[in-house]
Amino acid sequence: MDHSSPYREGLPTSTTSSSSKAERRWRSKSLNTSIVMAFFSCVAWLYVAGRLWQDAENRNLLANLLKKNADQRPKVLTVEDKLMVLGCKDLETRIVEAEMELTLAKSQGYLKNQLQQSGSYSGKRLLAVIGVYTGFGSRLKRNAFRGSWMPKGDALRTLEERGVVIRFVIGRSANRGDSLDRNIDEENRRTKDFLILESHEEAQEELPKKAKFFFSTAIQNWDADFYVKVDDNIDLDLEGLIELLASRRHQDSAYIGCMKSGDVITEEGKAWYEPEWWKFGDEKSYFRHAGGSLLILSKNLAQYININSVSLKTYAHDDVSVGSWMMGLQATYIDDSHLCCSNSRQDKVCSLA
């Protein structure tokens, strides 16, 4: 009995050792599980953080694209804007319709009849209306002409009774009503020898348009067989010109002058430069036309300019512009050397002043 005591005392010791090992294994397993869980938690956190960062970048990129598209997108028109656009289109349509009606009225002679009733049209068929181009700074030239070949005062009225009207032709200042306009109006009150083109702005670059205004205004004010344009640097043999015109009085569609052609100047900055030089073909040569110093149109050609003035194209020079209008018509070109003002002929009717 005594031998069994040690055995019984040692048995609990063995049981305790086994329990400690089991506990250590459990703790080790729990630790491993915690580490794995922590690892997966870190991975999950990194994944979520990465997605959030990527989404933030995407949102930023998308916001920038939307902003850029918004800047490029046309602004929304307000009701007032739409009404203004519609009003402009309606105004443009009305302008076109008015121009068509004006052209029709001119072709049917209504404007001329109105002028006749108002007293600004003489009602007498004239031989010629001679328009002498002038400018605001050419008063001395005008006075020189009035003292030489151009009649003045009562002599000018007497010439009109013979069937020839002469007027200095000028437009209006860019600043309407300024001292330039007032000086011309005052001079005209004294001399009564101006044809003032109210719708034309007097400027060097506007000379080609001046031809349209001159022929249109002249034919609405006077009924003549011929309409003559003369530069302000020309002296005329007035009786010689009257004789020349009288000899061709019954010749319709007459386009008379010192006919010429010549090279088109294509280099900007040079004299006589033509901005639309490319329209004149590979040879860069002007078509045949009357020189601008003195050119003459018969009544029906001047009437054509009057009727179609809205749509007639102008070039850099007035004589080329008039020549281009004549090309599409059944005009009779008359090259008369008496009208070549710069040549040395003794029987010419014009010369450089």
Side-chain angles (χ1 to χ4, degrees), residues 19-311:
S19 177
S20 298
K21 289 181 180 179
E23 184 178 354
R24 284 196 299 271
R25 283 197 300 271
W26 181 83
R27 287 178 179 176
S28 176
K29 186 176 180 181
S30 298
L31 180 62
N32 291 339
T33 302
S34 298
I35 292 172
V36 171
M37 291 297 294
F39 172 77
F40 280 114
S41 296
C42 290
V43 171
W45 183 86
L46 290 172
Y47 173 77
V48 172
R51 287 300 303 268
L52 290 174
W53 178 83
Q54 187 177 14
D55 289 345
E57 287 292 310
N58 289 339
R59 283 196 299 272
N60 188 41
L61 178 62
L62 182 60
N64 290 335
L65 289 175
L66 289 173
K67 182 179 179 182
K68 185 183 293 186
N69 290 337
D71 292 339
Q72 294 176 351
R73 209 169 41 200
K75 295 181 179 180
V76 177
L77 292 177
T78 64
V79 175
E80 290 77 9
D81 293 334
K82 291 179 180 178
L83 289 175
M84 185 173 66
V85 171
L86 292 174
C88 290
K89 289 182 178 179
D90 181 60
L91 180 60
E92 183 180 2
T93 301
R94 282 186 287 167
I95 290 173
V96 172
E97 291 174 350
E99 289 176 347
M100 294 175 64
E101 291 175 359
L102 177 62
T103 298
L104 179 62
K106 287 180 178 179
S107 67
Q108 295 176 349
Y110 286 118
L111 297 183
K112 186 191 297 182
N113 291 340
Q114 290 176 2
L115 287 169
Q116 186 172 8
Q117 292 170 7
S118 66
S120 58
Y121 176 81
S122 67
K124 176 184 177 182
R125 185 66 174 264
L126 304 170
L127 172 64
V129 175
I130 302 173
V132 183
Y133 277 22
T134 190
F136 293 118
S138 299
R139 186 170 184 173
L140 294 179
K141 284 186 178 181
R142 292 192 292 271
N143 288 335
F145 288 165
R146 294 184 184 111
S148 58
W149 64 265
M150 181 175 173
K152 57 183 178 179
D154 293 339
L156 190 64
R157 307 286 90 77
T158 301
L159 182 65
E160 291 178 12
E161 292 174 2
R162 291 177 55 193
V164 177
V165 171
I166 304 178
R167 293 290 187 272
F168 288 112
V169 182
I170 193 169
R172 285 301 190 182
S173 169
N175 302 310
R176 292 299 180 96
D178 63 7
S179 61
L180 297 176
D181 281 346
R182 292 195 299 272
N183 290 340
I184 291 297
D185 290 336
E186 176 59 30
E187 186 177 348
N188 187 39
R189 275 191 289 271
R190 290 186 288 101
T191 61
K192 295 180 174 57
D193 57 5
F194 278 88
L195 173 59
I196 299 176
L197 307 176
E198 297 291 346
S199 300
H200 175 67
E201 180 181 318
E202 189 65 34
Q204 184 65 33
E205 63 273 13
E206 299 295 326
L207 275 177
K209 294 180 181 179
K210 189 172 183 176
K212 290 201 294 186
F213 284 103
F214 163 61
F215 287 113
S216 294
T217 306
I219 201 167
Q220 290 179 45
N221 280 275
W222 298 282
D223 183 16
D225 290 312
F226 298 103
Y227 298 84
V228 185
K229 176 258 178 177
V230 181
D231 279 348
D232 67 351
N233 62 342
I234 298 300
D235 280 329
L236 281 181
D237 173 5
L238 185 57
E239 291 301 323
L241 178 61
I242 292 173
E243 183 180 346
L244 183 151
L245 294 174
S247 67
R248 298 186 180 279
R249 185 157 201 169
H250 301 292
Q251 189 164 5
D252 291 333
S253 303
Y255 175 36
I256 311 172
C258 181
M259 296 294 170
K260 64 176 185 177
S261 182
D263 295 334
V264 178
I265 304 302
T266 61
E267 297 179 35
E268 188 173 358
K270 284 193 173 182
W272 312 111
Y273 168 65
E274 174 58 68
E276 297 189 78
W277 53 265
W278 54 273
K279 288 186 176 181
F280 295 90
D282 295 335
E283 298 299 324
K284 305 297 183 296
S285 178
Y286 283 120
F287 39 74
R288 200 78 169 158
H289 62 278
S293 296
L294 197 164
L295 64 87
I296 304 166
L297 298 180
S298 61
K299 178 183 177 179
N300 59 334
L301 298 182
Q303 181 69 22
Y304 170 81
I305 294 174
N306 175 41
I307 293 172
N308 299 282
S309 59
V310 172
S311 57

